[in-house]
Amino acid sequence: MFYPLSAFIAYRYAKSNKASQTSFVSFINRFSVAGIALGLMALIIVVSVMNGLEGQLKQRILGIVPHIEITKTPIISESPSRTSNENEVTETPTQTAEKTTAVTLKEISETPIEGVVATMAYREAEAVVQSRSDLRGVQVHGVQPEVMIEHTLVANHMEQGRFSDLTEGSFAAIIGRSLAIKLEARVGDRLRVMVAGASVYTPFGRMPSQRLVTVVGVFDMGSQMDDKVMYMNLKDVNRLMRDPKGSEQSLRLFLNDAFNYQAVISALTDRVGVSVNNMKTWRERQGPLFDAVKMEKNMMTLMLLLIIAVAAFNIVSALVMVVTEKQGDIAVLQTQGMLPSSVMWIFVLNGLFNGIKGAGIGLVLGVVITLQLNNILDLIGSPLALVADGRGLPIEMDVVQIVGIALLSLLLCVLASVYPARKAMKIAPSQALQNE
């Protein structure tokens, strides 16, 4: 089989056996390979766990918080933007007939937007919930039960009851498990809900709108929002807010990917004509939390990449000693006609082969340990339950990300090999052979 001469010699050097190199050079070579493998293994494990943590936060918190909410404020569509995109958006007869009229929430809900899987009439109100033992501030979400069942994760995390129990006129409520514990409330108990935003003046002064509601269900998303949210039927919330016609209700948009909210906002503003001031996104409430998680993930990735870089630059010392030891061999090859560039490629490929060995070992160990991480933690007696159902550490492996990390490790190894390779290329055969 034919091998390029530079690659063949580089492969012989990368084998690092004591017959071809001194023991010390062989040790440094092996040490650099082990450092790359351990660094890459640690980076794969940490990044996979951080991805899982981010995914859990996305599921737990953004499964409750509205992805995008459009208020009922009149929204004026701009004629140029609507006209330029008329071939991209399927417009309703009302929109095509009059380009300058206000866009209603109903028209927005009927307009197909890429990334939006469903829309729902929605209303949210700040309220105080009182039980026999405690008093808590909550957000009352007025929802349509049939849409919640089909498009939300909350409906899949019900401990008791179901969203179909939120029938109109029943003034039923579904609360989180954390809130139920704090209020000492169970399914069937009655709670008093008081809304200051719909207060009225009485002979006794200003009194908030209040109503007794019956707990018909308990959900458990395992998030910090479990004790802050109460679900009720939209019609019941409108009556609680003294607005039975629902003139103040808004439109809630469900996205297939909550992190892709910017593209949906751009589509709503450019193609539908919705004003940015009339839209609220999940980032207004939970943006700082996800920014903190992302920053922590990036910093940990940078720290572990530095470990890989240190291990990769151990290749420099190993190759420099190899170049010093093999000066006579390099001079002989040059006298036999090998070009200086070919000599340089010998040591560049030597560093690349060491990187391939280290990256290959680290890749295999990282993937295997990541897949068995929870079992390993159980085995050593240190289980960590961070998933809502208590299964252990959340793990999410991204193939593209792992391949990118491995390729970056190889790039660092190649860059670390450039200096000793250039040093070998500049060896003068006459001076090297004088010392032999």
Side-chain angles (χ1 to χ4, degrees), residues 8-250:
F8 176 75
I9 299 174
Y11 177 73
R12 291 289 301 272
Y13 285 165
K15 290 170 67 175
S16 299
N17 53 34
K18 294 183 179 180
S20 60
Q21 298 179 1
T22 64
S23 298
F24 188 64
V25 173
S26 176
F27 170 76
I28 294 181
N29 225 4
R30 295 175 187 273
F31 186 80
S32 61
V33 171
I36 295 169
L38 290 175
L40 184 59
M41 178 191 71
L43 185 55
I44 290 174
I45 294 172
V46 170
V47 169
S48 298
V49 172
M50 292 299 295
N51 287 341
L53 176 62
E54 189 176 47
Q56 282 293 308
L57 289 176
K58 182 178 178 181
Q59 172 183 326
R60 297 181 188 183
I61 296 177
L62 300 188
I64 297 177
V65 177
H67 297 165
I68 297 178
E69 180 184 353
I70 303 176
T71 62
K72 67 98 185 175
T73 308
I75 304 162
I76 306 300
S77 61
E78 297 178 2
S79 179
S81 63
R82 298 297 298 278
T83 304
S84 61
N85 294 280
E86 60 183 356
N87 293 329
E88 302 177 10
V89 183
T90 304
E91 298 178 339
T92 61
T94 305
Q95 293 170 333
T96 55
E98 185 66 35
K99 296 288 184 180
T100 59
T101 57
V103 180
T104 64
L105 297 181
K106 182 179 179 181
E107 291 174 334
I108 297 174
S109 65
E110 295 173 350
T111 303
I113 301 294
E114 184 177 357
V116 179
V117 296
T119 60
M120 177 183 71
Y122 173 78
R123 187 161 195 166
E124 183 177 325
E126 300 288 337
V128 174
V129 178
Q130 182 182 19
S131 67
R132 295 180 179 179
S133 60
D134 205 350
L135 191 72
R136 294 282 173 174
V138 297
Q139 299 172 357
V140 178
H141 290 191
V143 298
Q144 295 176 331
E146 62 278 4
V147 180
M148 294 292 291
I149 292 173
E150 187 174 355
H151 297 288
T152 62
L153 291 174
V154 181
N156 299 327
H157 289 79
M158 296 293 296
E159 284 194 346
Q160 295 176 285
R162 52 189 183 275
F163 268 87
S164 57
D165 296 331
L166 298 180
T167 56
E168 180 182 350
S170 64
F171 282 92
I174 293 176
I175 61 177
R177 181 173 179 270
S178 299
L179 182 61
I181 293 174
K182 292 177 180 179
L183 295 176
E184 297 182 5
R186 299 178 178 84
V187 172
D189 290 352
R190 306 193 74 185
L191 305 175
R192 183 175 298 275
V193 179
M194 294 172 284
V195 182
S199 58
V200 293
Y201 289 96
T202 69
F204 301 100
R206 187 174 181 178
M207 299 292 292
S209 175
Q210 53 185 302
R211 187 84 186 210
L212 288 174
V213 300
T214 304
V215 178
V216 296
V218 176
F219 68 88
D220 185 12
M221 290 288 289
S223 76
Q224 62 182 16
M225 299 297 295
D226 284 10
D227 64 342
K228 298 178 177 64
V229 172
M230 169 184 287
Y231 290 104
M232 294 179 61
N233 189 284
L234 177 63
K235 300 293 185 181
D236 293 344
V237 174
N238 285 334
R239 292 190 182 95
L240 181 64
M241 297 296 295
R242 303 185 187 279
D243 180 25
K245 294 183 179 180
S247 59
E248 298 291 330
Q249 66 188 25
S250 56

Side-chain angles (χ1 to χ4, degrees), residues 371-388:
L371 293 176
Q372 300 297 325
L373 186 57
N374 286 311
N375 294 332
I376 294 173
L377 291 174
D378 290 336
L379 185 64
I380 64 177
S382 299
L384 296 175
L386 296 181
V387 185

Side-chain angles (χ1 to χ4, degrees), residues 205-357:
R206 187 174 181 178
M207 299 292 292
S209 175
Q210 53 185 302
R211 187 84 186 210
L212 288 174
V213 300
T214 304
V215 178
V216 296
V218 176
F219 68 88
D220 185 12
M221 290 288 289
S223 76
Q224 62 182 16
M225 299 297 295
D226 284 10
D227 64 342
K228 298 178 177 64
V229 172
M230 169 184 287
Y231 290 104
M232 294 179 61
N233 189 284
L234 177 63
K235 300 293 185 181
D236 293 344
V237 174
N238 285 334
R239 292 190 182 95
L240 181 64
M241 297 296 295
R242 303 185 187 279
D243 180 25
K245 294 183 179 180
S247 59
E248 298 291 330
Q249 66 188 25
S250 56
L251 184 68
R252 177 173 175 174
L253 275 59
F254 297 90
L255 310 185
N256 56 5
D257 184 4
F259 287 173
N260 195 32
Y261 70 99
Q262 287 286 7
V264 177
I265 289 178
S266 299
L268 288 170
T269 54
D270 298 338
R271 294 162 53 186
V272 183
V274 183
S275 172
V276 177
N277 297 328
N278 297 326
M279 289 185 286
K280 299 178 183 178
T281 67
W282 61 266
R283 280 201 61 85
E284 297 178 13
R285 303 180 181 181
Q286 302 297 332
L289 173 62
F290 284 90
D291 289 341
V293 172
K294 184 177 181 180
M295 182 182 67
E296 183 178 359
K297 175 182 174 182
N298 292 338
M299 292 304 298
M300 294 184 70
T301 302
L302 178 60
M303 290 172 59
L304 293 173
L305 279 176
L306 291 176
I307 294 176
I308 297 176
V310 170
F313 281 99
N314 283 334
I315 295 175
V316 176
S317 58
L319 290 182
V320 166
M321 286 188 286
V322 172
V323 170
T324 304
E325 181 185 356
K326 302 295 183 180
Q327 285 188 10
D329 296 345
I330 295 171
V332 171
L333 290 173
Q334 288 180 331
T335 57
Q336 291 180 350
M338 178 172 280
L339 297 175
S341 60
S342 299
V343 174
M344 183 188 72
W345 275 108
I346 290 175
F347 295 95
V348 171
L349 292 175
N350 189 1
L352 178 61
F353 289 153
N354 286 334
I356 290 175
K357 286 195 294 184

